[in-house]
Amino acid sequence: MMILNRRILLSTLALLPALRSTSASAQGADPLPSWNDGATKQSITNFVARVTTQGPDFVPMDQRIATFDNDGTLWIEQPMYVQLAFILDRVKALAPQNPGWKTKQPFQAVLDGDMKAVAASGEKGLMQLMAVTHAGMTSEEFAKIASDWIASARDQRFKRPYTELVYQPMLELLAYLRVNGFKTFIVSGGGIEFMRPWAEKIYGIPPEQVVGSSIKTRFEMRDGRPILFRLPEINFIDDKAGKPIGINQHIGRRPIAAFGNSDGDLEMLQWTTMSGGVRLGLIVHHTDAEREYAYDRKSHIGKLDKALDAAAINKWTVVDMKNDWKRVFASA
Amino acid sequence: MMILNRRILLSTLALLPALRSTSASAQGADPLPSWNDGATKQSITNFVARVTTQGPDFVPMDQRIATFDNDGTLWIEQPMYVQLAFILDRVKALAPQNPGWKTKQPFQAVLDGDMKAVAASGEKGLMQLMAVTHAGMTSEEFAKIASDWIASARDQRFKRPYTELVYQPMLELLAYLRVNGFKTFIVSGGGIEFMRPWAEKIYGIPPEQVVGSSIKTRFEMRDGRPILFRLPEINFIDDKAGKPIGINQHIGRRPIAAFGNSDGDLEMLQWTTMSGGVRLGLIVHHTDAEREYAYDRKSHIGKLDKALDAAAINKWTVVDMKNDWKRVFASA
């Protein structure tokens, strides 16, 4: 009931601005309190005011589509993607049932905590780890495995659940856009079924608005009940040029605002902003080694190089995490 | 603005029942005026009352997912799928630029109007026809081609646009479900990009709630602008066992109501109804040769055989078009 009421309230609020034909400025209190005042914050509020105010830049509500990368944009991605931490934990949890893994790569490397050897196993090794941790069960069983894990796992540096290591300023941005009639989507290279079990509770984004990478599934009747069985075979990689493809496949319209943090988001930002009209492209630049992490052009995870150059050329907003955000993480 | 206001109005209306915690019975006027009173209509209104009324069968609004097949369920599919009529028309329109087609199958058969020879070209022939009519252009170009065609094409028997050969009782059902807090999706074997250009105007279903078959696309920058180029290669067939897979991929939750008319919908109906809880499975049985068509177990198009047997076993509602519907088509 809590969730239902919150959803109804948010949905109702989302309708108000358009019904009253007013812009976001009518809202009173600062909708982005964790953002320092300045050019970055202003680029967001200016964009929202322009597309929601009657005039040449007005965009009807049903076309206010906003897409958000997840890893490094909505939550932490260092020192490794959260989904990789999930894979490593699952291999350890499944090891007692698979005694042969002790002497077989890449499983041995995972069990020994030898991340260099895991990396050395390359794409083939990663696929083997994916197969044993993500396939071989029903879609509902996997959702429970992912839910249980996310509820218990802790980040080693911050000693907190990953779902608390989401960025408070971005949560405010999601809510601010929704209140202004935007429909918010996740468009992530991460696994679609890995994100869906918690995305609604944490981000307010329902399963049908999550776009991500996926493996193939097979429909079958088992004991007279229909199931979807997860297969160890890639279906779609929702990264780089895959992002506009995933957006078109899933959403079927071009976003007017897109949010990312790495070169994996370059094509999504191009697709969103380079089509005429007032558009918002935004990149979260991780510049805060103290409160979170500082990385960009040379990082193995969340490499931000070409997209940083493209941001300057295309006038995308670049968030300087250290200076633009009053706080980084959501409250516990 | 018309569309915007209608959408806002519908969305607002959709919130009211849940906000007031009342059931559909509070609505006053008959929400399904084109349905004759009787067991079929009652099975629909009973279901909606049960899942929207506080009590053991109540379903929170965000879980009220309803999926609709398109061909034969929402609009006409005889004597050939509308999308096949599109293909044939497009081949004829493109023939002057392709003089070689006059002597090359399956194109020659299309140009000669020899449907037996078209059928004889089999799956390989159909793929060739798909390739030249659905691929080789950008996604936006294809949307315009489909929009232009649907605006001008006419059904030969009824002499009306296909978008007027949608079933009035099903339009009422879509609206009735939405007013009761359901999110309505199309889940069709038809092409996702063929349906999206008109689905919102005709059915009130936005692009992001259309699931269908698709071909692959490639992202590229062309003259400094990002495009998606349509490739002559199947991406996904959203039919039969593909429907639950498409539903899971796209929506990420199990529907509580599903509507179909043929064996292509069997697995969607199983997936929806055989999972515990109060569920509605409904099959439109084409029994009205006078007002529309009568066909089922032996039809080449929209064959309804296994799903009709399954309906009896699983207590799905079977609509007898001739006796349950006061009128068939939407008004002009």
Side-chain angles (χ1 to χ4, degrees), chain A residues 183 193 196 208 248-249, chain B residues 183 193 196 248-249:
Chain A
K183 206 164 184 176
E193 302 291 26
R196 279 172 164 163
E208 62 269 28
N248 188 58
Q249 179 69 19
Chain B
K183 207 164 182 176
E193 301 292 26
R196 279 171 165 163
N248 189 57
Q249 179 70 20

Side-chain angles (χ1 to χ4, degrees), chain A residues 107-127:
Chain A
F107 309 101
Q108 184 186 347
V110 173
L111 298 176
D112 293 347
D114 182 352
M115 289 307 292
K116 276 193 185 168
V118 173
S121 75
E123 199 173 315
K124 193 187 159 211
L126 187 62
M127 273 310 297

Side-chain angles (χ1 to χ4, degrees), chain B residues 14 44 47-49 51-52 59-68 173-185 209 255-259 280:
Chain B
I44 298 168
F47 165 77
V48 170
V51 299
T52 59
V59 176
M61 201 161 67
D62 64 335
Q63 290 164 38
R64 293 182 206 156
I65 304 289
T67 54
F68 288 79
L173 181 51
L174 282 167
Y176 171 60
L177 290 174
R178 288 194 289 259
V179 165
N180 281 283
F182 281 77
K183 207 164 182 176
T184 53
F185 289 80
Q209 285 163 226
I256 64 167
F259 305 85
L280 177 63

Side-chain angles (χ1 to χ4, degrees), chain A residues 7-8 19 62 140 183 193 196 206 208 214 217 219 224 228 244-245 248-251 253-254 274, chain B residues 7-8 19 62 140 183 193 196 206 208 214 219 224 228 244-245 248-254 274:
Chain A
R7 276 180 58 83
I8 292 169
L19 284 171
D62 64 334
E140 275 155 11
K183 206 164 184 176
E193 302 291 26
R196 279 172 164 163
E208 62 269 28
S214 57
T217 59
F219 175 87
L228 288 173
I245 291 168
N248 188 58
Q249 179 69 19
H250 201 107
I251 308 175
R253 16 188 170 206
R254 222 184 260 238
M274 298 171 74
Chain B
R7 276 179 58 85
I8 292 169
L19 285 171
D62 64 335
E140 276 155 9
K183 207 164 182 176
E193 301 292 26
R196 279 171 165 163
E208 62 269 29
S214 58
F219 175 87
L228 288 174
I245 292 169
N248 189 57
Q249 179 70 20
H250 201 107
I251 306 175
R253 17 188 169 206
R254 221 184 262 237
M274 298 171 73

Side-chain angles (χ1 to χ4, degrees), chain B residues 86-121:
Chain B
F86 167 74
I87 289 173
L88 301 182
D89 280 359
R90 285 300 295 164
V91 166
K92 288 170 196 160
L94 294 167
Q97 302 154 241
N98 297 276
W101 287 358
K102 277 182 199 163
T103 54
K104 191 182 171 193
Q105 294 297 10
F107 309 102
Q108 183 186 347
V110 174
L111 299 176
D112 293 347
D114 182 352
M115 290 307 293
K116 276 194 185 170
V118 173
S121 74

